[in-house]
Amino acid sequence: MQETIETQIAQAWTAAWNDGNYDPLRDLLAPDFVRESKGSEKSVDADGFIQQIHEMRQALPDSTTTIERVLTHGDEIGLFWTTDGTFTQPLGNVPPTGRQVTTSGATLSTIKDGKIVYEQATWNMTALLADLGLPSLASAFEEIAPDREAGTEARELLKEFNKQFVTGVTVITAHDEDGKPRGLAANAYCSVSLDPPLILVCVMKSSSTYPSLFRSDHIGINILSTQQRATLDVFASKSKDKFANVDWRPGPHGTPLLEGSAASIEVEVKERFQALTHTIFIGRVQHAEALDNDPILYKGGKFFDSDGLTAL
Ligand SMILES: Cc1cc2nc3c(=O)[nH]c(=O)nc-3n(C[C@H](O)[C@H](O)[C@H](O)COP(=O)(O)O)c2cc1C
């Protein structure tokens, strides 16, 4: 009896994870089935579990799951597995990186009357999450709509606060999966540390450039100069081909660097922190160049020439 259910479980897992055939697994799950994940402490029912498998299979369409061991102890069955695949399709709100991922874990199933009534999953998500750039898998499925509950008053106050903060304007660049240069204007740039040389940029997930930035190992950051006032408008727009009338060249790490910028850097992406509607990219500087060109200044929604400022 136990041997039969072991084989059934192994076959049902293989059918679900490798072939997308969820029927044998569904047949094995008791109506009151519950699956708990150690670590996230989240639990799902049968439908939720099958939905999770479906979402992972969609994100890694070439994935292969291998069952390494099945162990029985009384009415409990332990299953040890490894999944390999390429992250080529979005997972929740995370754009694909095109990278190869290996993830492994174990599940402990409790059997009653030939059905799985309870399953405890222990999953070593480290490799997968490192590739996704997420602190937890749950954040891949977080609601990313702006918080409409927050008072408009607080938003207006923050706007007024931001208006008093003077910044430069950068263009953040990368290539899309077809090798086409992509970029957007951003003033959410900040130096994080000099040693190690880290910076951050903050990009909204609804930007059309965002998936290209997310999948890239390196991104370029160009501080716009007063010669590039027209370029700023192009990169602040939704234009399909922003590089068509702009002079640029690939830097030593391949990212698009804009000619005539006040300064440009190329960074290796180290972290991609999720901040609801935005992602904070932390990059380690790999290449830097600065020219004498005066940077554009941005204050209160207007742009200014930084030449001739009075020192205090
Ligand atoms: C001065 C200025 C600063 C901006 N800063 C940011 C920023 O820090 N992060 C961001 O995601 N968008 C920022 N934007 C908005 C994007 O440039 C804009 O939404 C652009 O159309 C995005 O293009 P895309 O959807 O083609 O990527 C800024 C725009 C301007 C004009």
Side-chain angles (χ1 to χ4, degrees), residues 257-304:
L257 302 183
L258 306 187
E259 299 287 9
S261 298
S264 299
I265 51 175
E266 289 187 287
V267 303
E268 185 185 356
V269 177
K270 290 292 185 189
E271 303 281 358
R272 301 170 181 85
F273 292 122
Q274 303 299 301
L276 295 181
T277 54
H278 285 61
T279 290
I280 301 164
F281 293 85
I282 304 279
R284 187 183 180 117
V285 180
Q286 300 290 355
H287 170 76
E289 50 192 70
L291 296 172
D292 273 342
N293 301 334
D294 291 312
I296 289 178
L297 294 185
Y298 180 59
K299 178 179 177 269
K302 292 192 187 128
F303 303 105
F304 298 89

Side-chain angles (χ1 to χ4, degrees), residues 138-155:
S139 56
F141 297 97
E142 253 168 31
E143 178 58 56
I144 61 167
D147 184 4
R148 294 281 163 226
E149 301 285 301
T152 48
E153 197 192 343
R155 269 199 296 276

